Amino acid sequence: MVARSPLQFLLLLLVSFICLKARAESSRSVVFIDGSSNNYIRDQNPDGAETSSMLLDEVAAAASVLLGFAPPSSLAADSSSKLNEVLLANPFDKPHAVFLLEVNGIDGADPLLSMDNSKLTGSIFKSRVLGPSKAALELPGEDEVSVVHLDESVAAECNAACLDKELANIADWLGGSYVGSLESLDGMLTLPLASGKALNLHVEKEAQLQFASGLISLFKSVKRGVEVHEDFAGSIVSPAELIIGHFTGIKILQEEYGPGDIVQQAMEVFQTALTKSLDLLYNSHEGKIVGVVISKKEPTPHSGGMIDVTFPTRVSRFLEEGTQAGFPIHTLEVLLVRRSLAWITGIILLVSTLIGVFLLVNMPLTRDTLLYSNVKLD
């Protein structure tokens, strides 16, 4: 018994370390949401969000499958089985459209995992996200996928009058109001909450203006995605559609004010904006689109977001052969073979032409000749 005590203590430390590591890695989550008219996501048990977990590479692979492309060949067998737990196994029925949004700065209990499913009409699959902080979404080519990026630089590109107009538009979209102006430093954006209260944003303050700008960018990006879909709607072959971006408004408010009431109220407003965005996309795409929302608390150590969109580099065979500077003999052999084939083909065509002309000139003038018709001979 005494000999086992140190071993048991070490095992206890190891289990505690693994639990702490898993808890630290589980600060990220993902929510898959589809429309009511078309189901692409499996129904999840009510307690599934508490136990389900996915690797970030699996999330990117799921988005690739929803776009209609095969997952990367490097995906492990266990990860392929995980995709079957999330997606419906119908290879001929895919939405070919994904709304991929990353939300930064969510602290404490994840509001996305506790999102009320009754606010959305489609199937929802919620899961914790484990694994590395970066993954790649590999797409076949830019001509096969239309990518719309969410741009959060509205405040930097707009002047005061332009921002006042955009703030008024976002207030109408979310059922709120906007009074005052940025120029007079009394602009007030009021957005209603589900609890009956309202979030009052003083947009002359930088952090609150950045949150409002994020809502504006979200709305404009969704509208641009709808317009792109309508442009491709009449074409015979339309590409897959990906709307991707990052929402950093929550993180900016949390860094400025800490985990207070304004952050909680801002999260409620974001949930309303997300629901309205998905409704717009579902209506325009007739339900053939899936929303993938990833949330995280810690900042990404790399530039950009957690999922990077990558396209393969296509290099022609001629350019590939031309870059083989280390093998001049091979290049000369290729040129010699090509020129030899060209000369031989040209000589064969010339000889064939001369033989044909000779036979045509010396053809006898009979009744069934090919040179003259029977009418002329008669």
Side-chain angles (χ1 to χ4, degrees):
M1 294 295 295
V2 177
R4 293 181 180 179
S5 297
L7 180 60
Q8 292 177 352
F9 180 74
L10 291 176
L11 289 176
L12 180 61
L13 287 179
L14 179 61
V15 171
S16 301
F17 174 77
I18 294 175
C19 292
L20 289 175
K21 184 178 180 181
R23 182 174 298 179
E25 291 179 342
S26 65
S27 61
R28 298 172 295 171
S29 63
V30 63
V31 181
F32 295 86
I33 312 167
D34 63 7
S36 58
S37 57
N38 300 84
N39 292 328
Y40 307 101
I41 307 298
R42 293 187 183 274
D43 293 330
Q44 189 180 39
N45 296 328
D47 299 332
E50 299 296 331
T51 59
S52 179
S53 61
M54 297 181 66
L55 296 175
L56 190 60
D57 292 333
E58 296 170 354
V59 177
S64 178
V65 173
L66 290 171
L67 288 171
F69 307 115
S73 57
S74 59
L75 194 67
D78 294 341
S79 297
S80 299
S81 301
K82 188 64 181 181
L83 296 185
N84 291 329
E85 297 178 10
V86 180
L87 308 177
L88 290 176
N90 188 350
F92 303 104
D93 186 18
K94 298 301 178 186
H96 299 284
V98 171
F99 174 53
L100 180 58
L101 183 65
E102 179 183 324
V103 187
N104 298 347
I106 296 180
D107 198 358
D110 196 335
L112 291 181
L113 291 183
S114 60
M115 181 184 292
D116 186 6
N117 294 14
S118 62
K119 295 181 180 180
L120 300 166
T121 57
S123 301
I124 296 180
F125 189 94
K126 308 173 183 179
S127 176
R128 295 289 180 180
V129 176
L130 306 177
S133 59
K134 205 78 169 177
L137 175 56
E138 301 177 2
L139 301 178
E142 297 183 2
D143 54 340
E144 300 182 38
V145 186
S146 171
V147 182
V148 175
H149 292 275
L150 190 151
D151 185 13
E152 287 192 304
S153 61
V154 176
E157 298 177 354
C158 261
N159 55 21
C162 174
L163 273 176
D164 286 334
K165 182 179 178 180
E166 296 293 348
L167 290 170
N169 292 336
I170 204 68
D172 293 337
W173 181 49
L174 297 177
S177 62
Y178 178 68
V179 296
S181 65
L182 283 169
E183 187 176 359
S184 57
L185 300 179
D186 60 351
M188 173 74 75
L189 177 62
T190 303
L191 301 175
L193 303 176
S195 59
K197 299 180 181 180
L199 171 63
N200 297 318
L201 295 174
H202 302 272
V203 292
E204 73 274 5
K205 298 180 180 180
E206 184 65 25
Q208 300 185 32
L209 177 61
Q210 290 297 324
F211 174 77
S213 299
L215 295 176
I216 295 172
S217 300
L218 176 63
F219 177 55
K220 295 183 69 173
S221 299
V222 170
K223 286 185 62 179
R224 190 163 65 252
V226 171
E227 293 172 357
V228 169
H229 176 72
E230 292 176 351
D231 293 338
F232 289 120
S235 58
I236 299 176
V237 179
S238 59
E241 301 173 25
L242 173 64
I243 305 174
I244 185 171
H246 317 102
F247 187 85
T248 59
I250 303 293
K251 177 179 71 70
I252 293 173
L253 288 179
Q254 189 175 16
E255 291 176 351
E256 182 70 19
Y257 302 104
D261 293 338
I262 187 172
V263 175
Q264 298 300 324
Q265 293 176 354
M267 191 63 217
E268 293 184 34
V269 170
F270 169 74
Q271 288 184 2
T272 303
L274 176 62
T275 304
K276 288 182 174 292
S277 299
L278 290 173
D279 288 340
L280 283 177
L281 293 172
Y282 292 150
N283 293 333
S284 64
H285 291 69
E286 298 179 351
K288 295 182 178 181
I289 187 171
V290 173
V292 182
V293 184
I294 308 174
S295 65
K296 64 174 183 177
K297 179 180 70 173
E298 72 279 1
T300 305
H302 311 280
S303 59
M306 288 187 288
I307 295 182
D308 286 338
V309 177
T310 60
F311 295 97
T313 303
R314 297 182 178 179
V315 182
S316 64
R317 185 177 62 180
F318 178 77
L319 291 178
E320 184 179 359
E321 292 174 353
T323 56
Q324 295 178 352
F327 302 92
I329 298 179
H330 175 73
T331 304
L332 292 176
E333 291 177 353
V334 171
L335 293 176
L336 179 61
V337 171
R338 290 177 177 175
R339 289 179 181 177
S340 300
L341 289 175
W343 276 101
I344 293 172
T345 304
I347 292 172
I348 292 175
L349 291 176
L350 179 60
V351 173
S352 301
T353 303
L354 293 176
I355 294 175
V357 172
F358 175 78
L359 294 176
L360 187 65
V361 171
N362 294 279
M363 183 177 292
L365 297 177
T366 58
R367 177 174 292 274
D368 55 350
T369 182
L370 298 177
L371 290 178
Y372 303 101
S373 65
N374 295 333
V375 178
K376 285 186 178 183
L377 288 177
D378 293 341

